[in-house]
Amino acid sequence: MTSETAIPAAPVTPDALRDRWSDLLDKLGRDQGIVTLTVERLRATVPGYDVVPTEALAASARRNLDLSIRIIRAGGHPSPDGVPEAEALANERLRQGVSLGHVLSGFRTSMTVILQRLIELAPLSGIPADQVLECSTLLWSLGDVFSARATAVYRDREIARAVADSERKSAWIGAAVSDSMDPAELLRGAAAYDVPTDAPLRALAAPVRPRSGHAGEREIQRWAESAGARALTAVRSNMIVGILIGDVADDAEEPAMTVALGEPATLADLPVSFEAASRALRAADAVGARRLVDLESLSWRMGVHSSPDTTRMLRRRYIGALDGAGAIRDDILESVRAYLDNRMNIPAAAASIPVHVNTLRYRLRRFSELTGADLGDVDHLIEVSWAMASLGGGGRGVS
C-alpha cells in the first residue's frame, strides 16, 4: 500500500489541487483494506463489540469511511444535524446491547484507521502538509460531533427507560394499596422494589400540593429515611399514596407535610390499611391537623369528618350562637381554643394568647352565656371541642 512514489512538491494551481484531492478521496473510497483493518482493530481493542456481527461492523466501518469523505469534500466543520449516521449507529448499538463508552471507542478506532491511511496517501497525491493537517482537524471535529450526537441518543434512551420504569413502579404501588392485584404480579413487584411480603407494612396517604409536581413525594421519602424507615410513593389524582416499610423511630421528627398512616398490615392486606390512611387524611383535613396522623392519634376527631350531621349541629350550637357577639366573637373563639389547648388551665391559657387572666375569664363567661355551654361539664366539653375542631387549625374569622 506504500510502494508508490510521492509526487514532488511544487506550486500547483487551485484547480489542480482540487483534482488531486478528488483523486485521493476516490482512491480512499475504493480502499477496502480500510474496512478490513477497522474490523480487525475493533475486534482486538473494543471488548464490547464482541456481540456485534462482523457484517455489521464492516457496514459501520464503510459508513464511517463514506461519512469522512463527504465531510472532507464539503470542506467545513460538520454540524450535529449533518451527521445522521451517528444517531443511526447509536440506535443500532443500543439494540445490540453495546455501551456508550464502547460505541465512542469504536468510532475513534475507525477514524484513526481512516486518518492514518489518508496521511499515507496524501504525499503520494501531492497534497501539501498544511492541507493534510487541516483535513485531520475536520475529521477530529467530526469525531466530536459524532460523540455528542451518540451521547444524546443514549441519554434520551436512558431518560425514556427511567420514565417507563418509574411509571411501572408508580402503577404497581397504586394498585398494591388500593386495588385487588393478581397475587403473582403483587409478588413480582415486591421482589423488584424490595418490599417484604410477610413483615408488617403501613399504607400512607398525603395531599398533593398545587403546582408542586413530585416535590411532595421527595419530602415524604426524605422524612421516612430520616425516621429510620423507607417510603415507596406514587401520585394518584389529588393524593400521594404509598407504602411505609419499617418502623418510624420514636424520636423522629414530624414530616414537613401532612402524612396519614394506616394500620400495620401484610402486603396482601395493604388495601385495608390504605382505606384507614385515606379516612385519617380526610379527617385531618377537616380538623386542620398537620404532620403525622393516624386513626389512633386523631381519636374522636375522626367523627368531625365522618359524622357531618353531628358536626353541623354542634357548629350551630357553639359557633353559630356567637354571631350576636359582635366584634368580640373572634376573641371569644380564640380564648375558648386556648382554654381547651391548655387543659382548662386559665393562667396558662391567658399566657398563651396572651391576655390578662380576668380578660380570659370574661370571654369564657360570655361564651357560656351565648351558647349555654357549661365548660365544667364533660359532655359539654366534648361537644365544644368537637365544634372547635371543625374550624380547623384556627378559629379566628371562621363562620
Side-chain angles (χ1 to χ4, degrees):
M1 293 175 67
T2 59
S3 60
E4 303 172 59
T5 302
I7 296 177
V12 293
T13 64
D15 289 343
L17 191 56
R18 278 194 296 272
D19 290 341
R20 291 182 184 182
W21 266 114
S22 180
D23 291 342
L24 170 59
L25 295 177
D26 288 343
K27 184 181 295 185
L28 199 67
R30 294 191 298 269
D31 193 342
Q32 182 60 31
I34 293 176
V35 173
T36 303
L37 180 57
T38 299
V39 172
E40 291 175 355
R41 289 194 180 178
L42 288 174
R43 289 289 189 217
T45 62
V46 186
Y49 273 25
D50 291 345
V51 298
V52 182
T54 298
E55 296 78 7
L57 287 181
S60 63
R62 179 75 252 175
R63 286 196 301 269
N64 291 342
L65 178 57
D66 293 342
L67 172 61
S68 299
I69 292 172
R70 188 177 83 233
I71 295 302
I72 295 172
R73 289 190 190 278
H77 290 276
S79 66
D81 292 339
V83 189
E85 293 88 342
E87 185 170 346
L89 178 62
N91 281 312
E92 180 182 344
R93 295 295 178 261
L94 263 171
R95 291 190 295 270
Q96 293 165 336
V98 180
S99 71
L100 175 61
H102 287 144
V103 171
L104 299 183
S105 178
F107 187 77
R108 286 194 297 269
T109 297
S110 180
M111 297 305 294
T112 298
V113 173
I114 295 169
L115 184 57
Q116 287 175 341
R117 185 57 179 149
L118 180 66
I119 292 173
E120 291 173 359
L121 293 176
L124 305 177
S125 300
I127 305 297
D130 61 331
Q131 291 208 3
V132 176
L133 178 61
E134 183 178 345
C135 177
S136 67
T137 301
L138 282 179
L139 292 185
W140 290 124
S141 176
L142 170 61
D144 292 339
V145 170
F146 181 95
S147 298
R149 189 77 180 266
T151 299
V153 169
Y154 270 74
R155 181 198 62 223
D156 291 346
R157 180 65 63 88
E158 286 301 312
I159 291 173
R161 182 181 293 116
V163 169
D165 290 344
S166 177
E167 289 177 348
R168 282 193 295 271
K169 183 177 181 180
S170 293
W172 183 86
I173 293 169
V177 301
S178 60
D179 297 335
S180 175
M181 184 185 287
D182 175 73
E185 182 61 27
L186 189 66
L187 292 177
R188 277 195 293 269
Y193 308 126
D194 194 23
V195 178
T197 58
D198 52 0
L201 308 167
R202 299 183 77 174
L204 67 83
V208 174
R209 297 173 179 171
R211 298 181 298 279
S212 66
H214 294 282
E217 286 189 88
R218 292 190 290 271
E219 284 185 17
I220 292 173
Q221 290 160 7
R222 283 194 296 266
W223 163 75
E225 183 177 355
S226 69
R230 181 164 64 95
L232 300 181
T233 61
V235 175
R236 286 290 178 272
S237 185
N238 62 340
M239 183 185 297
I240 297 173
V241 304
I243 304 170
L244 186 70
I245 303 168
D247 296 325
V248 175
D250 292 337
D251 59 349
E253 293 185 2
E254 293 280 347
M257 60 189 298
T258 303
V259 176
L261 299 180
E263 296 298 308
T266 61
L267 179 62
D269 292 329
L270 267 181
V272 177
S273 180
F274 179 69
E275 174 58 28
S278 299
R279 286 190 284 115
L281 182 64
R282 291 192 293 268
D285 181 65
V287 302
R290 299 292 182 264
R291 308 301 174 87
L292 191 64
V293 297
D294 58 14
L295 299 183
E296 184 176 350
S297 65
L298 288 169
S299 185
W300 59 266
R301 294 172 182 82
M302 292 291 300
V304 174
H305 170 75
S306 61
S307 183
D309 290 339
T310 302
T311 299
R312 282 192 292 269
M313 180 269 291
L314 294 177
R315 280 177 67 106
R316 285 195 302 269
R317 180 181 298 175
Y318 297 111
I319 308 300
L322 300 179
D323 289 345
I328 199 176
R329 172 189 179 276
D330 288 348
D331 294 329
I332 292 175
L333 286 173
E334 180 184 50
S335 297
V336 172
R337 183 178 294 278
Y339 180 70
L340 297 173
D341 289 346
N342 287 275
R343 301 183 179 185
M344 289 77 74
N345 184 310
I346 288 182
S352 70
I353 299 181
V355 296
H356 192 276
V357 291
N358 289 337
T359 301
L360 184 73
R361 288 193 179 97
Y362 168 75
R363 293 176 181 175
L364 295 179
R365 186 167 63 252
R366 286 292 293 151
F367 177 76
S368 296
E369 291 170 354
L370 291 167
T371 64
D374 180 356
L375 295 179
D377 179 83
V378 173
D379 288 340
H380 283 192
L381 278 174
I382 293 173
E383 291 176 349
V384 171
S385 297
W386 186 301
M388 293 298 294
S390 73
L391 298 180
R396 298 188 68 84
V398 184
S399 59

